[in-house]
Amino acid sequence: NEDAMRVVAVIPAKGHSVGVPGKNKKPMLGKPLFLWSVEQALAVGLQTYVSSDDPEILHLAERAGAIALTRPSNLCLDSTSTEAVVKDAVSQMIAEPHIIVLLQPTNPCRRMKDIKECLAMIPKYDSILSVVPSHRFLWMNSKSLNYDYNKRPSRQNLSPQYMENGCIYVSKYNGYDNRLWGEIGLYVQDYWSSFEIDSLNDWDTVEFALKKMKCQLT
């Protein structure tokens, strides 16, 4: 029974970042970046956990209606895996979840319906990731990866390929050594969801994308 399942959202939002200093709490269109993800998860009705080492982020998370989890400093390194952060978050929960929805603050261009539709796929799959269609010709060094350059096809005739966009990961909980496992499903999002923030240039692009999507975020 899906209603009896304990479904939680986990949002990793440490205080420090390299590309954009303090990006998780930097205002994006009037609110801290990480709150876009928090508000989307809460709007879907998910019990929402925010993992951070930053007191201000933890305070803002609680004020928004999420559950704040203090992350230990040894899990705030640039080399720390997201899986390790999620496992730590689960260890602080009162009960183990059945399903985890991982929402990364640096990929806020998602709609609430995207989260709902990913969750609707769970009976069929063990884990789901969001993707965007790609019609690019790809090369590595001097070798073409996804087409024969001697018989150059039109882009429309390329075999369907998809790029992982980092927006949504949904997994049946099995210890969370890997966010993707078992039977994996792809949830296709649109072009605007493909942008994420690693640099100040990315910040401007995501801001533009959110403005374009604003009337359709529900």
Side-chain angles (χ1 to χ4, degrees), residues 163-214:
M163 180 185 78
E164 193 169 332
N165 67 356
C167 262
I168 306 168
Y169 297 93
V170 178
S171 315
K172 292 176 183 173
Y173 184 70
N174 71 339
Y176 220 83
D177 291 322
N178 194 322
R179 72 191 77 179
L180 299 174
W181 68 279
E183 192 72 23
I184 298 172
L186 301 184
Y187 177 76
V188 182
Q189 288 184 277
D190 66 15
Y191 170 78
W192 296 109
S193 70
S194 64
F195 299 110
E196 62 180 321
I197 298 171
D198 284 319
S199 70
L200 285 171
N201 287 335
D202 296 332
W203 186 275
D204 294 338
T205 306
V206 167
E207 186 175 62
F208 181 78
L210 282 171
K211 283 179 182 175
K212 292 285 288 185
M213 294 174 70
K214 198 162 188 183

Side-chain angles (χ1 to χ4, degrees), residues 30-99:
K31 64 183 147 193
L33 177 65
F34 85 97
L35 279 184
W36 284 87
S37 299
V38 170
E39 290 179 3
Q40 289 159 358
L42 290 172
V44 174
L46 298 180
Q47 189 167 47
T48 302
Y49 294 86
V50 175
S51 167
S52 184
D53 59 324
D54 186 295
E56 185 180 2
I57 289 175
L58 294 170
H59 171 71
L60 290 170
E62 286 192 330
R63 200 167 73 179
I67 299 165
L69 300 176
T70 302
R71 191 193 309 184
S73 57
N74 67 307
L75 292 180
C76 296
L77 308 174
D78 292 335
S79 58
T80 301
S81 70
T82 301
E83 278 76 2
V85 173
V86 173
K87 289 175 86 164
D88 173 72
V90 171
S91 75
Q92 297 187 55
M93 296 178 191
I94 294 171
E96 218 172 68
H98 296 105
I99 297 169

Side-chain angles (χ1 to χ4, degrees), residues 123-134:
K124 185 177 179 182
Y125 299 101
D126 298 306
S127 54
I128 295 141
L129 70 153
S130 58
V131 297
V132 289
S134 172

